[in-house]
Amino acid sequence: MAGPSYDDRDGWIWMDGAFVPWRDAKLHVLTHAMHYASSVFEGERAYDGAIFESRAHSERLAASASALGFSLPVPIEDLCGIKAEVMNKNGLKDAYIRPVAWRGSEMMGVSAQNNTIHLAIAAWEWGAYYGDAKMKGARLDMSQWRRPAPDTIPCKAKAAGLYMICTLSKHRAETKGYSDSMMLDYRGYVAEATGANVFFVKDGVVHTPSPDCFLDGITRQTVIKLLTKKGVEVVERHIEPDEMESFEQCFLTGTAAEVTPVAEIGPYNFEVGALTRDISETYEAHVRQRPNN
Ligand code: PMP
């Protein structure tokens, strides 16, 4: 594990309207969110001092909150400014930004109608999510857990409750020596990794699962636009697991993962090929050129 524990660092965290010293950004143990997963969050990256797609992440945070039946205590218009302040206050240029909103502690039970909605924003320096996989390709296990159906949970929200099976999958993968895990959806189609979307390449065409029961990542949407602009055909469709046998290349996309090549998913192997390298480099250039939005 790199760096000191996340509760023991220098710096400032924005919490409910004020900057508090990093080590003092604490909650009570009877916080509803901790018992009933009533929290939503974002993961964003800043490059050269500018948060990539800041507005889109703020909108998604508000949409996730709405899916859980609450509103953010701060209007979307103000969120981008606060995130930029968090960056400045901590002297950061290249950073990971973590906004989180949650139900507080007034009521302790399944119902939490009148609980205060809290909002905190932290930011810190964070390198490559999959370590040296950017060069060699990540190795993924196959998860025993499936992404849930849209009528069983608000599956498009970036909400804490949806990550329980991700942590279980990732822990099992790491125990077996892999760096992540590929999850199928409730129908048995290929869905996504535990914190990133997946793309495959075959005969120069890119195939990616239709995001009908999981997060349509902001990186995913960006990469589809960049590929299309290059004239590469991108097909969004349902993908059967055994189709992975015939795919030549594979890569993951996500704010943390950026574009990370994949060398292996369970029994299936992929080459780290030219198209994957090219889109990875194009994405890197793209995120550094954007104005702060
Ligand atoms: N799926 C899951 C489960 C994730 O946690 C993430 C990371 N937010 C993604 C996909 C990718 O989303 P984005 O590109 O917006 O970071």
Side-chain angles (χ1 to χ4, degrees), residues 60 158 163 192 194-197 215 217-220 253-255:
R60 187 168 71 186
K158 194 162 167 65
Y163 285 85
E192 58 171 356
T194 64
N197 293 116
L215 216 59
I218 291 167
T219 318
R220 178 186 184 279
T253 66
T255 296

Side-chain angles (χ1 to χ4, degrees), residues 36-56:
Y36 300 102
S38 53
S39 86
V40 296
F41 64 100
E42 271 306 315
E44 317 183 22
R45 269 193 197 266
Y47 298 91
D48 302 327
I51 299 171
F52 180 65
E53 294 288 4
S54 181
R55 172 88 195 186

Side-chain angles (χ1 to χ4, degrees), residues 203-218:
D203 300 330
V205 176
V206 171
H207 303 258
T208 191
S210 308
D212 56 9
C213 64
F214 55 85
L215 216 59
D216 181 4
I218 291 167

Side-chain angles (χ1 to χ4, degrees), residues 21-261:
W22 193 286
R23 293 179 184 82
D24 298 339
K26 292 180 179 167
L27 309 181
H28 196 271
V29 290
L30 296 183
T31 296
H32 191 271
M34 199 168 86
H35 299 250
Y36 300 102
S38 53
S39 86
V40 296
F41 64 100
E42 271 306 315
E44 317 183 22
R45 269 193 197 266
Y47 298 91
D48 302 327
I51 299 171
F52 180 65
E53 294 288 4
S54 181
R55 172 88 195 186
H57 281 284
S58 295
E59 283 172 2
R60 187 168 71 186
L61 186 70
S64 298
S66 168
L68 268 67
F70 64 82
S71 309
L72 299 179
V74 164
I76 292 177
E77 294 66 44
D78 296 354
L79 266 180
C80 295
I82 299 169
K83 288 186 284 187
E85 273 182 55
V86 174
M87 294 276 299
N88 288 338
K89 182 88 174 165
N90 289 287
L92 294 166
K93 292 267 177 256
D94 287 85
Y96 184 78
I97 301 102
R98 168 56 60 90
V100 56
W102 69 98
R103 287 194 163 104
S105 49
E106 287 86 352
M107 289 174 76
M108 182 36 66
V110 174
S111 178
Q113 301 276 9
N114 298 316
N115 288 22
T116 306
I117 305 304
H118 298 272
L119 175 67
I121 302 175
W124 60 89
E125 269 179 30
W126 207 29
Y129 184 63
Y130 289 106
D132 63 0
K134 276 249 161 99
M135 299 305 299
K136 294 191 295 192
R139 296 179 56 247
L140 271 66
D141 190 17
M142 286 296 296
S143 173
Q144 79 274 43
W145 299 101
R146 290 186 173 193
R147 303 303 309 171
D151 61 354
T152 61
I153 198 158
C155 59
K156 296 285 204 162
K158 194 162 167 65
L162 280 151
Y163 285 85
M164 181 178 79
I165 53 175
C166 298
T167 299
L168 283 169
S169 305
K170 183 129 177 159
H171 281 186
R172 192 174 86 148
E174 286 172 345
T175 303
K176 291 159 78 177
Y178 295 98
S179 54
D180 202 354
S181 195
M182 180 54 55
M183 304 179 84
L184 305 182
D185 72 14
Y186 64 102
R187 296 159 295 200
Y189 295 127
V190 174
E192 58 171 356
T194 64
N197 293 116
V198 66
F199 288 77
F200 300 97
V201 184
K202 186 184 176 184
D203 300 330
V205 176
V206 171
H207 303 258
T208 191
S210 308
D212 56 9
C213 64
F214 55 85
L215 216 59
D216 181 4
I218 291 167
T219 318
R220 178 186 184 279
Q221 294 170 41
T222 304
V223 160
I224 290 175
K225 276 189 211 132
L226 293 172
L227 285 168
T228 306
K229 216 166 125 191
K230 283 175 186 286
V232 177
E233 187 186 349
V234 181
V235 185
E236 296 180 70
R237 63 179 178 87
H238 291 145
I239 295 173
E240 301 277 0
D242 60 14
E243 284 187 68
M244 289 195 280
E245 178 81 55
S246 69
F247 293 135
E248 297 144 11
Q249 300 173 42
C250 174
F251 57 89
L252 300 177
T253 66
T255 296
E258 299 171 308
V259 177
T260 298

